[in-house]
Amino acid sequence: MTPAQQPTPEPTRQDQLELDQQVCFALAVASRNVIALYRPFLDPLGITHPQYLVMLALWEKRQ
């Protein structure tokens, strides 16, 4: 069997508990990055990202 054909070893329980294996961590990082993209636009308005989302929801209900 060549190295390319070697089966991938099963992850250990310890591997599965590592931070970079956690979906929740990846989602938290992604969320922080998205919010950081909005910050330059929201800071001059004096609102946070959650406040912006509420304003969008209210605007949608108004229409």
Side-chain angles (χ1 to χ4, degrees):
M1 201 178 271
T2 67
Q5 296 172 330
Q6 297 274 341
T8 307
E10 289 293 319
T12 65
R13 180 160 170 76
Q14 185 61 37
D15 292 340
Q16 294 171 347
L17 295 176
E18 290 180 4
L19 193 55
D20 65 350
Q21 296 298 314
Q22 302 300 309
V23 172
C24 61
F25 179 72
L27 290 172
V29 170
S31 174
R32 274 194 0 208
N33 289 335
V34 168
I35 291 170
L37 291 172
Y38 278 87
R39 190 166 292 121
F41 303 101
L42 298 178
D43 280 352
L45 300 173
I47 62 174
T48 64
H49 188 259
Q51 290 169 327
Y52 172 68
L53 294 177
V54 169
M55 290 180 69
L56 286 177
L58 293 172
W59 182 261
E60 188 175 289
K61 288 290 182 189
R62 181 183 164 275
Q63 295 180 1

